[in-house]
Amino acid sequence: MKKAKIYTFLFDGFSDWEIAYLTPEINRNELADLIFFSKDDKPIKSMGGLTVVPDEALKNINPDNIDLLVLPGGTHWEKGLNNEMEPLTRKVADLDKPIAAICAATTFLGQLGLLNETMHTSNDLNYLKAIAPKYAGEIHYQASLSVSDKKLITANGIAPIEFTREVLKMMGLYNEEELNKWYQLYKHGIWEE
């Protein structure tokens, strides 16, 4: 069975806690490979001060090899400092492959017009409209922690657990029972045998 290739974009100041539940679950799952990449594959520092050496540089990423593109939040999105991701993100969307964005990364999708025809969420509707002036999907906005619709997963910055649950579900990395047990443990501290 072919493993799903899950590519996660990292950049200086990325919000490490927003993918802190997701990346360990992917990394230890036999059905997926986790690939970290950055603009130039040089070490980067997260907002929490973690220094990370990515696996690949953006220029080496073939969108045909991506089964899921993960975009963590961070203020670079709000400042327009991750625009080098536009061609790859558009190509992944054009190939009808899943994209998962949390917190400020949702503004990038909004700016690209990728939220205009799908249900989605962000930190707040007014936040999304202010940061992404080209955003035109207000009618599809959901005031929820995380939303999965079509091939897009979006989440509020305070919802890394819900974000992870939606990714694991979309990618079929856990069955429904395993997913429910995982969610109960990490969200509510309830361990079920």
Side-chain angles (χ1 to χ4, degrees):
M1 178 182 226
K2 177 185 172 274
K3 287 185 168 187
K5 303 285 186 193
I6 300 177
Y7 283 78
T8 301
F9 178 59
L10 302 180
F11 52 92
D12 279 323
F14 78 93
S15 299
D16 44 14
W17 64 93
E18 292 175 353
I19 58 171
Y21 292 93
L22 177 62
T23 56
E25 297 304 322
I26 295 169
N27 196 46
R28 69 185 186 140
N29 195 295
E30 295 177 3
L31 301 175
D33 283 328
L34 177 62
I35 300 101
F36 292 108
F37 72 101
S38 65
K39 180 171 64 173
D40 54 17
D41 80 0
K42 291 186 170 77
I44 52 117
K45 191 167 279 216
S46 73
M47 194 180 295
L50 298 173
T51 299
V52 182
V53 180
D55 302 306
E56 289 285 342
L58 174 60
K59 67 181 180 182
N60 297 329
I61 305 301
N62 180 346
D64 292 323
N65 295 335
I66 297 174
D67 293 307
L68 169 69
L69 176 62
V70 177
L71 305 174
T75 58
H76 273 43
W77 299 112
E78 297 167 347
K79 298 173 183 175
L81 298 177
N82 286 335
N83 290 333
E84 66 273 1
M85 279 297 294
E86 182 174 344
L88 178 66
T89 305
R90 285 193 184 281
K91 183 64 175 173
V92 170
D94 290 345
L95 291 169
D96 199 31
K97 294 185 176 196
I99 299 171
I102 185 168
C103 196
T106 61
T107 66
F108 178 67
L109 297 184
Q111 188 67 5
L112 297 182
L114 298 178
L115 303 180
N116 292 349
E117 302 298 325
T118 187
M119 305 272 257
H120 60 276
T121 195
S122 183
N123 292 339
D124 179 76
L125 178 59
N126 290 326
Y127 163 81
L128 183 55
K129 290 178 1 182
I131 303 298
K134 293 181 181 176
Y135 167 71
E138 184 172 349
I139 192 168
H140 301 292
Y141 185 84
Q142 305 291 303
S144 299
L145 291 174
S146 186
V147 173
S148 179
D149 188 34
K150 300 175 185 168
K151 297 286 182 156
L152 288 179
I153 296 168
T154 52
N156 184 301
I158 62 164
I161 295 171
E162 289 78 8
F163 181 66
T164 299
R165 179 180 59 181
E166 293 303 317
V167 169
L168 296 174
K169 184 177 184 179
M170 181 177 281
M171 298 307 295
L173 299 182
Y174 285 170
N175 65 39
E176 195 67 33
E177 182 181 348
E178 292 168 330
L179 194 56
N180 286 335
K181 285 181 179 181
W182 180 90
Y183 184 75
Q184 288 303 318
L185 175 62
Y186 286 98
K187 185 66 176 183
H188 304 291
I190 299 170
W191 173 253
E192 296 179 12
E193 289 293 330

